Amino acid sequence: MKIIAEIGWNHMGNINLAKEMINAAKESGADFAKFQTWSVKNLKPGPWDSDGRREIYEKAELTKEMHQTLYDHCNKKGIKFLTSIFNIKDLEKINNLNLDTIKIPSHEIYNKDLISKISNLFKNVLVSTGASLWAEILDLTKIPNFNKIFLLHCVSSYPCEFKDLQFNKFYELKKISKNKIGYSGHYPGIEDAKIAVNLNASYIEKHFTIDNNLPGRDNKFAILPNQLKELTNYKKNYLEMISNSNLDFSQNEKDIYKNYRGRWGKETI
C-alpha cells in the first residue's frame, strides 16, 4: 500500500517551492511525490485560451531539466518520483529518468493508444477512472498489458463532496482489475483516504500542498503536511493490525489461556 502526495502543478513552476513540497511529503511519510508532465505546444485550441488556463499551463510546465532536478531531489530525500503524462510525445521529458511507475489522468482514459504504449514501457501504470463511462473502463481490459494496470477509483470533482465519493464503485473496479486497485481522491480532507486504506487499496493519492493559500485551484483543497502525516500513520497502524494471520490465540493472550480458564469451575447442567 503506497501513499502518493500529488503535488501536481501546485508549485506553479517554482522549483524551490516544488522541492519544499517534496521535503514535506517525505517528512509526512509519503511513498511518492507526484507531478504532472505536459508541453503547452501540444495543447489544442480551446476555452483555456480565453479563460487564463493556457497562461497557467505555460507557467507551471516542467522542462526536461526541471524533471531531472526534481527526480534527483526525490532520490536525495528518499522518496520516489512519479508523474502523470497526457501525451505520448511528452515521454521525451522523462525518458532519461529511471521510472518503473507512471500515472494516466482520468481525462485520458479514453486514449487507449496512449495507455497501450505506456503499458509497454513501464512496470506499473496507474489509471484514474474519474469522469468516464463504465464501457471505457471495461475497454482497458482488452489492452495486452492490462496486467500492469492499476485502476484508481476517482470522482473528478474539485473538490469532491463526501456524498459523491461513490465507494460502491471501488468494489466493481476491484473485480475487473483482479485486485490491482487504488484510489485518487479530491475530498478536502483524509476521511476518504482512510476508507481506501481500509479497503486495501494498493495506491492512495491525495493532492498535497504546504499552504492552502498558494495560487492555483488545487492548492485550495489539497491536504497539508499534518493531514498527510495522520494518513500515513493511519496506514501504518492499519497494516500492523492486520499483520498477524494466526487463527489460534496470540502470545500476549497466553496468560489468559493458561491461567484464567476454569477459575470459576466447570459444571454440567
Side-chain angles (χ1 to χ4, degrees):
M1 185 181 294
K2 304 297 183 184
I3 303 295
I4 301 169
E6 158 71 308
I7 296 169
W9 50 278
N10 286 341
H11 52 79
M12 290 298 290
N14 184 331
I15 291 299
N16 289 330
L17 178 58
K19 288 181 177 180
E20 286 185 50
M21 291 178 171
I22 290 171
N23 297 348
K26 170 61 179 178
E27 291 166 6
S28 301
D31 300 288
F32 288 90
K34 179 177 165 293
F35 295 88
Q36 296 181 8
T37 300
W38 68 66
S39 297
V40 174
K41 65 182 180 181
N42 296 326
L43 186 63
K44 298 188 299 184
W48 37 84
D49 293 321
S50 57
D51 63 12
R53 277 182 287 171
R54 182 176 286 272
E55 288 77 10
I56 292 173
Y57 296 148
E58 289 173 347
K59 186 174 183 179
E61 179 180 329
L62 297 174
T63 65
K64 185 171 185 174
E65 292 72 26
M66 288 175 173
H67 278 84
Q68 184 69 59
T69 297
L70 296 178
Y71 174 83
D72 290 342
H73 190 73
C74 283
N75 280 346
K76 178 182 176 182
K77 293 297 178 178
I79 187 170
K80 296 195 73 172
F81 176 94
L82 180 64
T83 191
S84 289
I85 194 159
F86 301 78
N87 188 302
I88 198 69
K89 298 175 184 177
D90 291 323
L91 278 174
E92 183 274 333
K93 289 190 173 185
I94 60 171
N95 61 11
N96 59 319
L97 308 181
N98 185 27
L99 302 180
D100 60 8
T101 304
I102 199 164
K103 171 83 184 292
I104 303 291
S106 289
H107 43 76
E108 296 303 324
I109 194 170
Y110 79 97
N111 192 342
K112 303 302 185 295
D113 185 50
L114 171 65
I115 298 173
S116 181
K117 289 179 180 177
I118 289 296
S119 66
N120 286 327
L121 300 172
F122 294 87
K123 180 180 178 181
N124 305 307
V125 181
L126 316 184
V127 180
S128 276
T129 60
S132 62
L133 299 172
W134 187 249
E136 292 175 319
I137 297 173
L138 290 177
D139 276 347
L140 293 178
T141 65
K142 302 173 185 176
I143 291 176
N145 287 321
F146 180 66
N147 63 315
K148 293 183 176 182
I149 292 175
F150 288 79
L151 298 179
L152 272 56
H153 172 53
C154 175
V155 179
S156 295
S157 178
Y158 306 87
C160 184
E161 295 185 34
F162 209 68
K163 63 181 178 63
D164 296 323
L165 291 174
Q166 301 179 35
F167 266 103
N168 57 312
K169 190 175 179 180
F170 183 97
Y171 297 100
E172 299 303 315
L173 290 170
K174 193 172 185 178
K175 291 177 186 176
I176 65 172
S177 67
K178 297 181 179 178
N179 292 327
K180 288 201 167 185
I181 185 75
Y183 174 67
S184 178
H186 304 122
Y187 175 76
I190 60 172
E191 288 86 352
D192 58 332
K194 287 181 177 180
I195 293 172
V197 169
N198 295 342
L199 293 175
N200 288 309
S202 296
Y203 293 91
I204 300 171
E205 177 184 57
K206 289 290 291 184
H207 283 259
F208 177 73
T209 188
I210 57 174
D211 186 349
N212 292 132
N213 294 314
L214 288 169
R217 175 197 65 182
D218 292 359
N219 274 309
K220 301 297 182 286
F221 67 87
I223 64 173
L224 294 165
N226 65 310
Q227 293 172 297
L228 180 57
K229 182 64 175 176
E230 181 182 344
L231 174 60
T232 58
N233 284 340
Y234 184 90
K235 181 197 84 167
K236 178 182 176 182
N237 292 339
Y238 171 78
L239 292 176
E240 189 170 348
M241 282 188 278
I242 65 170
S243 63
N244 190 340
S245 59
N246 183 19
L247 298 179
D248 289 327
F249 66 84
S250 58
Q251 286 302 305
N252 59 350
E253 297 175 291
K254 189 174 181 179
D255 178 60
I256 300 297
Y257 179 81
K258 290 181 63 177
N259 300 317
Y260 279 68
R261 285 188 172 195
R263 63 177 174 166
W264 300 108
K266 184 177 181 181
E267 298 178 359
T268 57
I269 299 175

